[in-house]
Amino acid sequence: MTTETSGLEIKEARPGNIGAEIIGLDVNELSDHAPELALIRQLIYKNKLVVLRGQELTAERYVAFTRKLGRPQVYFQPQYHHPDHAEIFVSSNVIEADGKKLGVAGTGRYWHTDCAFEPHPLSFTSVYPLVFPKSARETSYIDMAAVYAKLPAELKAYVETASAVHEGKLRYKVQASDIDKSLAELLDRIHNEVPPVIHPAVIQHPVTGEKILYISSGFTTKLAGLTYEENQKVMQALFDFAEQPEHIHTHYWEEGDLIIWDNRPLVHKASSVKPGEKSKSYRIGIYDDLPFYVGINS
């Protein structure tokens, strides 16, 4: 469905799909209270993922835009930070002009929702690529509200009133300061920084009211109350069902794309980059300052 409003072209997905495009909007020109900001948020909640085409952003302007849309996150691990703007999470394997590399390479190449391992998960994620690899220009998504609606009854019975445990320690990226530390020391440190958290396995969106299966194979380690053997069987069955090809939406990046998605219903996975290819993107997490969810089992 395509509509035009205030000189903007808006393309929304057909019912049952995700994604919307906004064409003709320069986010650098938006004032703090521009009506387009409310429109962007409405489209994110409705379509779950929004692509703003044709953007030209410096690091400073990117941060300024996200401040108008919500409250930018400063990620808890400083090795990811842009040197001048801590709000920017840098994913890069590019050596800069000064001979240094910013951020961390190879992030997010597994199914996850950002910061599920924190007590207050991240509302929105925005990404702005700067250097595209030749072979991989896509990010994939799964709508976990649609997955929950289709979930077989025997699996739905396990999650309807369950709590899920989320952990980030196995995705920890080793950094220079970790040299000479044992694996036990590193695991203890990351456990202390982000201990396991519990969220309802099924959450309700605070705006749309949708019920969402809030688990991911990247961060969810078990359902509370099940034995180890039960968890091994049930979690694998849930992930196998969710990650079927027919549930996957893939965004193929174009130059100038700024993409924003709602972390409540969507899990995502970055594509892998072939050895020798360069890749660099900026990410800013955004809190919308609404409750992340209404707990179904609360």
Side-chain angles (χ1 to χ4, degrees):
M1 181 180 68
T2 301
T3 59
E4 292 189 10
T5 177
S6 302
L8 305 180
E9 183 181 356
I10 300 171
K11 298 180 180 180
E12 297 184 72
R14 296 176 180 176
N17 295 307
I18 67 170
E21 294 179 60
I22 302 177
I23 301 168
L25 175 67
D26 182 353
V27 300
N28 294 311
E29 297 180 353
L30 297 178
S31 65
D32 289 348
H33 303 289
E36 291 88 349
L37 296 168
L39 172 64
I40 292 169
R41 282 178 60 145
Q42 290 168 6
L43 289 171
I44 294 169
Y45 293 134
K46 179 182 178 184
N47 296 277
K48 302 174 183 178
L49 180 154
V50 170
V51 185
L52 295 103
R53 301 287 192 186
Q55 302 304 311
E56 295 184 8
L57 296 172
T58 63
E60 183 176 9
R61 287 179 172 181
Y62 185 19
V63 174
F65 165 66
T66 58
R67 285 178 177 158
K68 295 168 187 174
L69 192 63
R71 179 166 54 91
Q73 177 200 47
V74 175
Y75 192 66
F76 74 99
Q77 291 182 301
Q79 72 264 32
Y80 291 89
H81 295 177
H82 186 284
D84 301 317
H85 302 279
E87 299 93 339
I88 297 177
F89 175 113
V90 182
S91 179
S92 174
N93 65 4
V94 176
I95 303 301
E96 303 294 321
D98 60 3
K100 298 180 180 179
K101 183 179 72 66
L102 300 181
V104 175
T107 61
R109 295 172 182 171
Y110 48 87
W111 290 111
H112 67 290
T113 178
D114 289 331
C115 301
F117 52 82
E118 295 187 354
H120 302 287
L122 188 60
S123 309
F124 300 157
T125 294
S126 65
V127 173
Y128 183 66
L130 290 91
V131 177
F132 289 95
K134 294 180 180 179
S135 62
R137 296 172 65 115
E138 68 266 5
T139 302
S140 296
Y141 300 86
I142 296 173
D143 179 2
M144 297 298 280
V147 168
Y148 179 70
K150 299 175 184 176
L151 204 61
E154 63 272 19
L155 290 178
K156 189 171 286 189
Y158 277 104
V159 297
E160 279 181 315
T161 60
S163 295
V165 178
H166 305 263
E167 300 185 62
K169 65 183 180 184
L170 294 180
R171 304 297 177 179
Y172 176 75
K173 295 284 188 178
V174 176
Q175 53 189 310
S177 61
D178 296 329
I179 294 174
D180 294 333
K181 291 184 173 63
S182 69
L183 288 176
E185 289 175 302
L186 295 182
L187 289 171
D188 285 344
R189 190 178 79 186
I190 193 66
H191 177 85
N192 290 332
E193 288 181 352
V194 279
V197 299
I198 294 177
H199 297 296
V202 179
I203 63 173
Q204 185 173 8
H205 197 289
V207 176
T208 68
E210 280 189 305
K211 292 183 178 181
I212 300 160
L213 180 61
Y214 190 65
I215 63 170
S216 71
S217 55
F219 290 140
T220 311
T221 55
K222 62 183 178 181
L223 297 178
L226 297 186
T227 66
Y228 174 82
E229 291 77 14
E230 286 177 312
N231 263 304
Q232 290 293 103
K233 177 183 176 181
V234 172
M235 297 306 294
Q236 193 59 56
L238 288 166
F239 298 144
D240 286 347
F241 182 84
E243 295 168 10
Q244 293 179 85
E246 65 254 39
H247 296 152
I248 297 173
H249 168 91
T250 300
H251 173 71
Y252 296 95
W253 292 92
E254 298 179 10
E255 300 283 345
D257 281 358
L258 170 62
I259 191 167
I260 309 170
W261 67 86
D262 189 340
N263 271 302
R264 298 170 176 97
L266 297 187
V267 296
H268 65 282
K269 180 174 71 170
S271 56
S272 296
V273 177
K274 289 184 177 179
E277 294 188 348
K278 294 181 179 180
S279 176
K280 180 179 178 181
S281 65
Y282 287 167
R283 182 190 99 182
I284 301 181
I286 308 167
Y287 294 104
D288 60 8
D289 288 328
L290 297 175
F292 187 77
Y293 56 75
V294 180
I296 299 298
N297 62 349
S298 60

